[in-house]
Amino acid sequence: MSISKARLCAQTIKDNFVDLHAPLNALQAEQEAARCLFCHDAPCVDACPTGIDIPGFIRKISSGNTNGAAITILEENIMGGTCANVCPVEELCEEVCVKNSSEHKPVVIGQLQRFATDHLFEKSTQPFQRAAASGKHIAVVGAGPAGLSCAHRLAMLGHQVSVFESRPKAGGLNEYGLAAYKMNDQRAAKEVEFILGIGGIEIEYEKSLGKDISLDKLRQQFDAVFIGLGHTAVNALGLDNEAADGVYNAVDYIEDIRQQDLSSLPVGRNVVVIGGGNTAIDIAVQIKKLGAENVSMVYRRDLKAMGATEYEQEIAQTNGVVIRTHSKPVAIHTTDGKLSAVEFEYTQTDSNGRLVGTGENFSLPADQLFKAIGQSFNPQPLQDSECPQIVAGRIQVDEQQRTSLNNVWAGGDCTAGADLTVEAVNDGKLAALSIHEYLK
Amino acid sequence: MADLSCKIAGVSSPNPFWLASAPPTDKQYNVERAFEAGWGGVVWKTLGEAGPPVVNVSSRYGSVDYNGQRMIGFNNIELITDRPLQVNLDEIAAVKKAWPDRAMVVSLMVPCNEQAWKEILQRVEQTGCDAVELNFGCPHGMSERGMGAAVGQVPEYIRDVTGWCKTYTDLPVFVKLTPNISDIRQPARAAHEGGADAVSLINTINSIVSVDLDIMAPKPTVAGKGAHGGYCGPAVRPIALSMVSEIARDPQTHQLPISGIGGINHWHDAAEFIALGCGSVQVCTAAMRYGYRIIDDLVDGLNNWMDSKGYSTIEDFRGAAIPNVTDWQYLDLNYETIASIDEDKCIECGLCHIVCEDTSHQAIRASKDSDGKRSYTVIDDECVGCNLCELVCPVPDCISMVEVENGKPYLNWGGHPNNPMRSE
C-alpha cells in the first residue's frame, strides 16, 4: 500500500505530537529569568512586533509575580499565549537578546512568555475590564489573530463588536493552520474562549463575506469595519496533473491534522514537499511524525534563501526530513491517475542573480506530494462592494491600518507584512486604537 | 608550590583553612570527614558546662536567596552542642590523637562565673587540644541566658573572663567576638587586656532572614513563631573585612593575632582576610552549602595565586593591605577617575546609562542609530568617577575607570578650602 491510514499505532502518533518544547517548570523559569539583564531600552522590545515589555515581564517572573507577568504580555499582545509557542523568536526577540553577544545564548523569551501566560490561563481569569459602553458597534470580518485582536481591544475600549467568520470555529490559522506539535491540547480554542471572556464580542459563524454579507452592507450597518480575511488562496505549481490523487495543498492537509483523528489521515510511504517556508517545514515534519518513510522537502534555491528559519530547518532535519535545494519541479508523473513520481530540474543562479535550470533532471518516487509554495489574499469577496485599494495583491493600509475607504480598516495576512501571527495581532490592535480615535 | 602552613597564637596547621565552630564541627564523624577532605583545622562546636545539654529546636536555618542563587546569606537559631559534654570531650581527644597535625581548637561557653570556666578548662585540657576559643558571639538563645553575645557586648566581661581563662589554662586562648556592637575595637581591646592570644571574628549578626507572608512569621519558623538568628554567609563578608581591618590597624591591638571569619566562599575571599592581617580563616556557610570538598579549591586556588604573585608563605602577604586602609579624611580629593566604555565589548544592555541617568550624575549619553544599534558615551565633564556604571556592566572589562592625569597634588579634607575647620 503506497498510501495508508494509521501507519503508526495511535500511541506512537500521540507521542510524536507532544509539544516541541516541554513547558518550563518553575525552577527553570526562575533560573532563566535570572539570566535576563533587565536591559534599558531593550533590543528585544524593539524586535517584538507587538512591543511587549519583555524585560518587564521577565522581572515579574523573577519576583514571583507571574500573573502580573502574563498581564504585561497580554496588554500588548492578547495572543501572547499562542505567540509564545509559534513566534519565530530566533529572528525576533531572541535574535537580538544581548546575551547572544556575551554568552552566545539568548534568554529563552518565548518559553518564559509561555510560562507566564500558561499560569494565567490555568486560572482562566480575565484580567481586562471593559470601559463604559460607547454605544458604537463595529464589524470585524474574520475571527483570526488580526480580527480577534482587534475585537478584544475594541471591547476593552467599550465598543460592541460583531465578528463574521466563514468557518465553524474561531481562531483562524491558530485553529486551522499551525503545526500541531507547536500548538496542541485545544490551546487555540481555549485562547479564543479567553479573548471572548471580556464580553461585548459576538461571533457569527459560517458567514462569508461576498456570500452571506457584503462590505457595502457592513459599512452601512456598523460604525466601522475591520477586515481580517487572511490568505484564502493557495499558489499552484502550474504543472499538469496537479489534481491527481496524492497531490495536496499543504495547508489543507495541515487543517486536517488539526481537525481530524490523526489515525484517520492518509499517509504515503514516499512523500515529497515542495516549498521552502515554514508551511513546508510544518507539513514535512508532521507527515514524518504520522509515519511516512521517506520525506523530501525540495526547494528551488539554497538554504539561506528559504523562508523557513535555520531553527525550523533544524527541526525538519532532526525529524528525518531530507532537505533538497536547487531543484525546481517540472513534471508530476502519474500511473492510473495516481501520483507516482515528481520530476525536478536542478537549478543554479546565473551571473545576473537569476535562478535558471541546468537542463539536468531527476525524479523522486512519490505517492504523496504536498504543495507549500505560498498562499495569497483572494480579493474576490470584496468584488460586490466598493473595494478598498489593493496594491501588490493585498489591501493597502496606512500605519494605523486604515484602508482607502473612510470607515474600513484591515490587517493580518490580507495586508502587506511578514505574515506572522504576532504581526496580525499587532495590526488588529493598531486598527482598534485607530477606530477608537475615529469614533470619538 | 607555596607553603600554606600557618601558625597563629602557637597553633599550627597545614593550611589556614579551619572549619568554624558550628554544626559541621559537632561530632567526630563530621570532623574526621573534614580532615580526610583536607581541612587544616577545626574549632569544635561550642561546649557548655556539664549537666543536661541544651535542647535545640526543629527548623533552625534560614536563607537569603538572590536572583536564582541560594544562600548568599544564611542564618541559624541553633544553640551550642546538644550532646553530653563527656561525649564531645572523648571524641575531641580521639580525633586529635588520630590527626595530630591538624589544628584542634575547642569552643567554650559557660556561665559568667570564674568557677564554671575553671571547671570546663580543666576537662578540656585533658583532650590534648591545641587551644580554646571563648564564644562571646552567639547572638541568639544563649545570649538570653547571659552567655555568648551577652558577654561579648560588655568589654569588661570579656576582659575578666579572658583573664580567668588565662589563669586556669596554659592553652592559647582565642576570643570570638560578636559584630553586634557599634565599635569592634572595644571588645578586641578588652580581650587583649585580658591576655587573649588571639581574637576570632566575626560571629554571626542579629537577623531575620525573611518573613513568611502566608503565615506572617519570621523564617525559620518554629510552630508558627520565629526568633532572630545569627546571620552569616557571603553577604556578611564586607562587614567582617571591615571589622578585621579595624582591629588590625588599631594601635592597641594591631599585634593581636586574628582568625578571620565571615562569608569565606572562595580562596580569594580568604586571601583578602589574610591581606588584612588574619593568620588563619574559618569557614562554615560554604561548607554547609556544598560539603567539605570545597577545601580542594580553597587550597589549590590560594596556592596557585600565591605562586603567581611570588609569595612562598602566608606570612609573605599577611597584612599587606593594612597600610592602605585609612580613614576617609586622608583620601586624596584631587585624585580623579572617569569611566571609559569599550564599545567593542559593549552588548548594548543600557544599564550603565539608565543607572547613571536615574540615580547618579547623568554622565552617560545613550543614542541609537537608524539600524537600532545602541551606543553609550561618557560625558567626561559630568562623570564623577563613582564606579556605578562599571559595577552594573555585565561584561568584564567593558567599562573601566581611567585615572585623569590632572597634575594636582595630594589634598585631603584637612587642607581643603571647603573645610571650615581646616588647618592653615
Side-chain angles (χ1 to χ4, degrees):
Chain A
M1 288 284 284
S2 53
I3 295 183
S4 75
K5 294 172 181 175
R7 281 192 179 275
L8 303 174
C9 74
Q11 187 58 44
T12 306
I13 291 177
K14 196 176 164 203
D15 293 345
N16 284 350
F17 278 80
V18 296
D19 272 350
L20 185 58
H21 301 290
L24 298 181
N25 62 34
L27 175 60
Q28 289 171 308
E30 177 194 352
Q31 294 291 332
E32 192 61 24
R35 294 186 63 235
C36 175
L37 294 175
F38 197 53
C39 295
H40 165 70
D41 183 22
C44 55
V45 180
D46 285 355
C48 175
T50 56
I52 292 171
D53 176 8
I54 293 165
F57 92 70
I58 294 178
R59 187 163 173 84
K60 290 182 181 185
I61 290 176
S62 264
S63 77
N65 178 14
T66 315
N67 233 35
I71 294 168
T72 297
I73 294 160
L74 297 169
E75 273 169 353
E76 296 299 341
N77 179 344
I78 195 62
M79 289 194 167
T82 292
C83 291
N85 290 275
V86 305
C87 257
V89 288
E90 65 277 11
E91 57 181 27
L92 295 173
C93 52
E94 291 183 19
E95 183 185 32
V96 299
C97 174
V98 302
K99 285 270 177 170
N100 287 306
S101 307
S102 56
E103 297 168 21
H104 302 289
K105 185 176 178 294
V107 173
V108 292
I109 298 167
Q111 292 185 61
L112 286 170
Q113 181 163 319
R114 177 174 174 185
F115 177 80
T117 51
D118 279 0
H119 178 86
L120 185 126
F121 290 148
E122 269 162 28
K123 296 182 173 172
S124 32
T125 49
Q126 172 64 237
F128 301 110
Q129 283 164 359
R130 297 187 66 195
S134 67
K136 306 290 185 185
H137 198 169
I138 294 110
V140 167
V141 184
L148 288 177
S149 164
C150 184
H152 186 270
R153 185 60 59 136
L154 288 168
M156 265 175 79
L157 294 167
H159 307 296
Q160 185 69 27
V161 186
S162 289
V163 182
F164 299 93
E165 169 55 49
S166 64
R167 291 172 179 262
K169 291 184 187 175
L173 287 180
N174 294 2
E175 174 61 38
Y176 292 103
L178 294 176
Y181 58 88
K182 292 180 187 167
M183 276 283 281
N184 60 17
D185 284 342
Q186 298 295 310
R187 197 180 288 272
K190 286 178 192 163
E191 187 167 67
V192 170
E193 201 180 315
F194 165 75
I195 289 171
L196 298 183
I198 192 165
I201 305 171
E202 299 261 330
I203 302 188
E204 297 199 27
Y205 291 101
E206 301 185 81
K207 288 277 189 301
S208 296
L209 191 68
K211 213 159 73 187
D212 310 300
I213 47 174
S214 75
L215 182 57
D216 281 347
K217 282 261 172 60
L218 293 178
R219 294 177 68 196
Q220 286 160 23
Q221 289 169 8
F222 292 89
D223 295 301
V225 180
F226 176 80
I227 302 172
L229 282 169
H231 282 151
T232 46
V234 176
N235 298 344
L237 296 170
L239 300 175
D240 290 344
N241 295 328
E242 272 192 62
D245 270 4
V247 181
Y248 305 79
N249 286 322
V251 290
D252 295 338
Y253 195 93
I254 288 172
E255 181 175 328
D256 289 345
I257 291 174
R258 292 196 61 89
Q259 302 297 323
Q260 293 180 19
D261 174 11
L262 293 175
S263 300
S264 72
L265 298 173
V267 179
R269 198 179 290 280
N270 297 307
V271 179
V272 172
V273 174
I274 296 176
N278 286 348
T279 304
I281 301 273
D282 286 352
I283 187 66
V285 169
Q286 293 187 105
I287 200 74
K288 189 78 188 159
K289 284 175 181 286
L290 286 168
E293 269 180 42
N294 303 304
V295 179
S296 297
M297 182 177 148
V298 188
Y299 180 56
R300 61 203 166 116
R301 298 178 187 273
D302 65 7
L303 288 175
K304 277 202 174 128
M306 276 192 181
T309 62
E310 211 174 301
Y311 171 71
E312 293 282 337
Q313 293 170 21
E314 213 177 286
I315 293 174
Q317 287 161 334
T318 52
N319 276 281
V321 172
V322 175
I323 300 180
R324 291 169 184 265
T325 56
H326 286 113
S327 309
K328 67 175 183 185
V330 290
I332 295 170
H333 297 292
T334 60
T335 307
D336 303 330
K338 287 183 181 168
L339 174 69
S340 58
V342 187
E343 188 175 340
F344 294 88
E345 181 183 9
Y346 287 111
T347 64
Q348 61 187 23
T349 310
D350 72 8
S351 51
N352 297 321
R354 279 180 318 205
L355 194 73
V356 293
T358 62
E360 195 185 344
N361 288 8
F362 68 94
S363 279
L364 292 175
D367 32 50
Q368 276 185 322
L369 166 63
F370 292 101
K371 297 179 287 179
I373 55 167
Q375 301 136 62
S376 50
F377 168 58
N378 174 13
Q380 199 275 330
L382 300 168
Q383 302 304 321
D384 63 353
S385 300
E386 187 187 351
C387 187
Q389 192 167 3
I390 291 174
V391 172
R394 313 248 193 150
I395 300 173
Q396 192 184 28
V397 291
D398 65 9
E399 75 286 352
Q400 290 182 39
Q401 306 299 128
R402 290 181 294 206
T403 68
S404 60
L405 303 178
N406 76 317
N407 57 349
V408 179
W409 284 252
D413 289 351
C414 66
T415 58
D419 296 351
L420 297 173
T421 307
V422 64
E423 297 269 9
V425 172
N426 201 48
D427 289 354
K429 177 177 81 176
L430 293 178
L433 296 172
S434 177
I435 291 167
H436 181 63
E437 282 302 310
Y438 167 80
L439 294 176
K440 265 185 184 170
Chain B
M1 294 292 270
D3 173 12
L4 292 195
S5 67
C6 83
K7 188 163 188 181
I8 169 172
V11 180
S12 300
S13 63
N15 64 56
F17 299 102
W18 299 356
L19 284 166
S21 169
T25 60
D26 190 30
K27 292 194 298 288
Q28 180 174 359
Y29 179 81
N30 302 80
V31 173
E32 293 207 308
R33 283 178 68 86
F35 286 165
E36 279 159 21
W39 289 82
V42 297
V43 182
W44 199 277
K45 186 171 164 76
T46 307
L47 310 183
E49 60 185 339
V54 301
V55 177
N56 273 305
V57 291
S58 182
S59 273
R60 299 180 192 179
Y61 305 136
S63 170
V64 174
D65 301 339
Y66 181 76
N67 218 19
Q69 289 290 313
R70 303 286 179 252
M71 280 168 69
I72 64 133
F74 184 58
N75 93 344
N76 81 90
I77 53 171
E78 187 170 291
L79 303 182
I80 61 174
T81 183
D82 52 16
R83 304 188 318 145
L85 177 61
Q86 194 56 49
V87 171
N88 277 306
L89 294 172
D90 292 346
E91 289 186 6
I92 290 166
V95 175
K96 181 63 198 177
K97 194 172 174 196
W99 300 85
D101 68 325
R102 308 303 167 95
M104 173 62 77
V105 181
V106 178
S107 174
L108 301 175
M109 183 196 290
V110 293
C112 217
N113 67 71
E114 195 167 346
Q115 190 57 29
W117 286 98
K118 182 179 175 183
E119 281 171 16
I120 189 90
L121 285 165
Q122 284 169 350
R123 295 182 71 171
V124 169
E125 273 190 336
Q126 292 163 22
T127 62
C129 68
D130 300 302
V132 293
E133 183 181 85
L134 314 187
N135 182 345
F136 294 156
C138 182
H140 51 268
M142 303 311 290
S143 54
E144 295 168 17
R145 305 175 199 178
M147 291 179 272
V151 178
Q153 286 166 334
V154 184
E156 293 76 15
Y157 293 172
I158 294 176
R159 185 193 60 212
D160 292 350
V161 177
T162 307
W164 299 334
C165 292
K166 286 303 292 178
T167 305
Y168 295 115
T169 183
D170 293 329
L171 289 171
V173 174
F174 286 60
V175 174
K176 188 166 180 179
L177 302 180
T178 177
N180 298 304
I181 190 161
S182 51
D183 181 356
I184 196 67
R185 292 174 303 181
Q186 305 301 331
R189 288 171 186 163
H192 185 51
E193 283 167 28
D197 298 281
V199 286
S200 307
L201 72 157
I202 58 174
N203 206 313
T204 55
I205 303 172
N206 283 346
S207 59
I208 288 177
V209 285
S210 67
V211 174
D212 184 321
L213 291 176
D214 292 321
I215 62 171
M216 286 294 171
K219 293 181 184 177
T221 310
V222 180
K225 305 280 185 193
H228 80 259
Y231 192 46
C232 53
V236 312
R237 191 167 60 241
I239 297 166
L241 288 170
S242 171
M243 290 187 164
V244 163
S245 77
E246 289 292 295
I247 294 169
R249 64 194 196 94
D250 180 44
Q252 294 181 46
T253 57
H254 73 279
Q255 300 279 10
L256 190 59
I258 304 171
S259 185
I261 312 168
I264 292 168
N265 188 45
H266 289 303
W267 60 267
H268 46 82
D269 304 329
E272 292 176 29
F273 276 89
I274 295 168
L276 287 176
C278 293
S280 72
V281 293
Q282 299 183 27
V283 177
C284 172
T285 306
M288 293 186 74
R289 172 86 168 81
Y290 300 107
Y292 295 140
R293 62 212 160 99
I294 59 166
I295 189 60
D296 178 49
D297 182 56
L298 287 171
V299 167
D300 189 50
L302 183 63
N303 215 319
N304 288 334
W305 171 77
M306 286 172 62
D307 285 351
S308 74
K309 293 286 182 185
Y311 299 130
S312 52
T313 69
I314 297 287
E315 286 304 310
D316 286 355
F317 72 100
R318 191 174 70 79
I322 298 170
N324 294 325
V325 182
T326 185
D327 294 335
W328 192 94
Q329 60 178 319
Y330 301 120
L331 297 177
D332 183 1
L333 295 171
N334 276 339
Y335 176 75
E336 279 182 72
T337 62
I338 53 173
S340 168
I341 301 172
D342 183 342
E343 278 217 52
D344 293 337
K345 289 186 176 143
C346 176
I347 61 171
E348 303 177 42
C349 71
L351 291 173
C352 58
H353 160 73
I354 194 62
V355 297
C356 189
E357 192 69 16
D358 280 354
T359 71
S360 291
H361 297 84
Q362 298 76 47
I364 298 180
R365 187 184 294 121
S367 53
K368 192 156 40 166
D369 70 14
S370 54
D371 296 333
K373 173 155 179 56
R374 292 140 169 84
S375 51
Y376 303 93
T377 317
V378 176
I379 305 165
D380 290 357
D381 288 347
E382 300 296 333
C383 179
V384 301
C386 73
N387 301 356
L388 181 62
C389 55
E390 182 195 20
L391 299 177
V392 300
C393 179
V395 182
D397 305 323
C398 176
I399 299 183
S400 45
M401 305 306 297
V402 180
E403 184 178 348
V404 179
E405 298 289 346
N406 59 17
K408 295 179 186 170
Y410 169 85
L411 173 68
N412 67 34
W413 181 238
H416 196 278
N418 288 18
N419 181 0
M421 311 290 283
R422 74 178 181 281
S423 44
E424 292 299 336

